[in-house]
């Protein structure tokens, strides 16, 4: 059997599109370790909005990955995570009415949030009621932004889905979801999602007016499931399997098989997680049935090709390509044009993507030969570092040494 090559093989390693961790809390970690350890972009899912705004604004000059952020956790008065010691003053916005919900959404967006985050955790305090939740979703969508939910406790995932939440911050772990809910979440969104960003040729989701063409990160794209999930499988046990992780892996397996989009995310800052690509997170995704291409697609959720699969494609759903950022920064690397078509991530064939004029800023470099055994892929990918494409393509490029050894990840 011939091993399938992913990315572009170069001297000393392989180039891949920039990796995104779609669930972090930069306020709780040494975020400058992310770029050297393979994470080029992050979605911060909860912090003081004005502080997060400084990370996003100064990322390029302060050694941080590209940052998109949610701002404060929107929650009910006294709701999760308002009582948590790790949540600083200003990182939680308590809302108890539709009016307060609208105002809170507007405050996050005024600070520069790319999306908003709502907490629906019935295991830890009160929940926003249905009309308040509906107001959060409606206001965010009206303003061209997506909604991410922390859904925990029986029934909260269904509730988030029915309210129109776009993304779950965690693969559901509180209960084994019924198949019909899995299928409903995995189905493509109800609207055509094909508006293109003229600047970068990236697909943008439907119906989200972006006044002034703001450079917000759009966390769903074409083709994509109606509700995307951020994996965060390793927070359940950090290497020691737990019943919650078993539940989450089972849900992810069925969701991906049904066509659902799962993006790589770790909830960095929550417990003993490596700052950088997390081998254990990738192993858990492998346990959920993710092969090499699916793993890389999950890691490159905001940077994958904008090309779409043929309409008559019958590929299994886990290969549905997530992606799509309208943010004109590091995540705009036109990977399939920058990298040779013969080494395309997907299937080794050209997808006919034409070169775009976007600046090619960052690329993932994974040192060493690609492993023959797919089970060894997580360890190999965890050796990644983020480099500037210009440097990699310069004659005489010497790959960084030592990126495969990580003191925080045995
Ligand atoms: Zn989190």
């Amino acid at each position: 059997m011939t091993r399938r090559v992913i990315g572009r093989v170069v001297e000393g390693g392989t180039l891949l599109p920039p990796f995104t961790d779609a669930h972090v809390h930069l306020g709780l970690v040494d975020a400058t370790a992310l770029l050297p350890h393979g994470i080029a972009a992050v979605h911060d899912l909860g912090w003081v909005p004005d502080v997060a705004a400084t990370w996003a604004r100064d990322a390029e000059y302060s050694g941080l990955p590209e940052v998109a952020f949610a701002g404060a956790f929107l929650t009910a008065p006294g709701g999760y995570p308002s009582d948590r010691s790790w949540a600083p003053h200003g990182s939680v916005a308590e809302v108890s009415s539709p009016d307060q919900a609208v105002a809170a959404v507007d405050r996050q967006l005024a600070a520069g949030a790319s999306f908003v985050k709502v907490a629906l955790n019935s295991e830890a305090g009160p929940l926003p009621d249905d009309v308040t939740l509906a107001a959060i979703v409606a206001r965010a969508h009206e303003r061209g932004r997506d909604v991410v939910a922390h859904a925990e406790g029986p029934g909260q995932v269904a509730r988030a889905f029915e309210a129109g939440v776009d993304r779950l911050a965690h693969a559901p772990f509180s209960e084994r979801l019924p198949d019909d809910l899995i299928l409903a979440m995995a189905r493509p969104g109800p609207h055509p999602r094909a508006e293109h960003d003229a600047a970068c040729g990236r697909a943008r989701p439907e119906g989200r007016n972006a006044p002034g063409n703001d450079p917000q990160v759009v966390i769903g794209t074409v083709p994509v499931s109606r509700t995307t999930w951020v994996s965060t499988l390793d927070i359940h046990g950090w290497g020691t399997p737990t019943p919650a992780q078993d539940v989450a892996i089972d849900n992810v397996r069925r969701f991906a098989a049904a066509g659902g989009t799962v993006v790589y995310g770790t909830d960095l800052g929550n417990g003993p997680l490596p700052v950088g690509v997390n081998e254990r997170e990738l192993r858990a995704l492998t346990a959920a049935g993710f092969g090499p291409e699916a793993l890389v697609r999950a890691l490159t959720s905001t940077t994958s090709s904008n090309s779409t699969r043929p309409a008559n494609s019958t590929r299994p759903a886990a290969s549905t390509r997530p992606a799509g950022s309208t943010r004109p920064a590091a995540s705009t690397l036109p990977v399939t044009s920058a990298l040779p078509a013969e080494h395309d991530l997907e299937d080794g064939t050209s997808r006919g993507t034409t070169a775009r004029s976007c600046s090619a800023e960052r690329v993932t470099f994974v040192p060493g030969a690609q492993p023959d055994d797919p089970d060894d892929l997580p360890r190999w990918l965890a050796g990644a570092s983020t480099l500037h494409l210009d440097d990699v393509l310069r004659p005489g490029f010497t790959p960084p040494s030592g990126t495969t050894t990580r003191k925080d990840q045995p």
Side-chain angles (χ1 to χ4, degrees):
M1 196 177 96
T2 308
R3 180 168 56 92
R4 188 179 283 179
V5 174
I6 59 173
R8 173 182 171 184
V9 177
V10 296
E11 180 70 28
T14 298
L15 299 183
L16 291 166
F19 290 172
T20 295
D21 187 333
H23 187 157
V24 305
H25 300 279
L26 290 186
L28 299 172
V29 299
D30 172 15
T32 59
L34 284 165
L35 285 171
H37 291 129
I39 298 298
V42 295
H43 296 175
D44 190 281
L45 296 190
W47 205 251
V48 183
D50 289 341
V51 175
T54 65
W55 298 331
R57 188 190 64 216
D58 300 336
E60 195 177 340
Y61 311 102
S62 47
L64 298 182
E66 178 185 331
V67 179
F69 65 93
F73 296 87
L74 309 186
T75 192
Y80 177 86
S82 61
D83 61 343
R84 301 299 157 118
S85 58
W86 50 257
H89 181 73
S91 67
V92 175
E94 297 174 317
V95 294
S96 59
S97 71
D99 284 350
Q100 290 181 13
V102 168
V105 169
D106 286 351
R107 283 199 304 277
Q108 310 318 309
L109 300 195
S114 294
F115 31 77
V116 296
K117 168 95 173 274
V118 59
L120 303 174
N121 183 352
S122 65
E123 310 280 341
L127 296 162
D129 62 22
D130 286 344
V131 291
T132 303
L133 175 59
I136 290 170
V137 174
R139 184 58 167 180
H141 288 179
E142 182 185 357
R143 304 243 0 231
R145 304 306 205 279
D146 286 343
V147 180
V148 187
H150 174 118
E152 180 171 356
Q156 293 307 315
V157 168
R159 190 162 172 251
F161 170 66
E162 288 164 5
V165 162
D166 303 280
R167 173 168 288 193
L168 299 181
H170 304 280
F173 58 90
S174 297
E175 59 191 332
R176 185 178 196 273
L177 297 184
D179 285 334
D180 56 354
L181 176 58
I182 292 259
L183 288 170
M185 297 182 92
R187 268 198 293 271
H191 310 292
R193 293 173 174 250
E195 181 194 349
H196 285 272
D197 177 336
C200 292
R202 289 190 177 277
R204 304 174 61 185
E206 82 298 350
R208 304 289 161 74
N209 298 319
N213 208 19
D214 314 8
Q216 83 275 10
V217 165
V218 175
I219 56 182
T221 185
V222 211
V224 74
S225 54
R226 184 178 304 221
T227 309
T228 65
W229 298 4
V230 185
S231 57
T232 73
L233 296 168
D234 186 43
I235 54 168
H236 309 293
W238 302 289
T240 306
T242 66
Q245 189 185 54
D246 292 344
V247 169
I249 288 175
D250 172 67
N251 285 330
V252 166
R253 180 186 298 109
R254 289 181 296 129
F255 180 62
T261 304
V262 179
V263 302
Y264 171 90
T266 62
D267 201 6
L268 185 62
N270 175 358
L273 294 166
V275 182
V277 178
N278 181 355
E279 177 185 339
R280 295 186 312 243
E281 187 69 33
L282 298 176
R283 287 203 182 285
L285 283 167
T286 302
F290 281 54
E293 291 83 4
L295 280 186
V296 171
R297 234 171 353 255
L299 280 161
T300 56
S301 61
T302 63
T303 56
S304 297
S305 166
N306 54 292
S307 70
T308 54
R309 195 169 296 294
N312 62 355
S313 168
T314 55
R315 284 182 75 93
S319 65
T320 298
R321 182 173 289 277
S325 163
T326 60
R327 190 181 175 83
S331 71
T332 54
L333 178 67
V335 166
T336 53
S337 52
L339 304 182
E342 65 267 28
H343 293 305
D344 180 81
L345 294 179
E346 181 65 30
D347 51 12
T349 60
S350 170
R351 285 196 304 273
T353 310
T354 53
R356 307 281 178 183
S357 59
C358 300
S359 63
E361 294 194 1
R362 282 176 175 151
V363 67
T364 300
F365 178 80
V366 187
Q370 292 184 23
D372 289 321
D373 185 347
D375 289 344
D376 294 335
L377 210 71
R379 177 173 290 270
W380 179 71
L381 287 168
S385 56
T386 307
L387 302 175
H388 286 279
L389 185 59
D390 290 351
D391 294 334
V392 174
L393 298 180
R394 187 169 293 145
F397 163 69
T398 309
S401 58
T403 47
T404 51
T405 36
R406 300 264 303 278
K407 62 178 185 295
D408 55 351
Q409 183 167 291

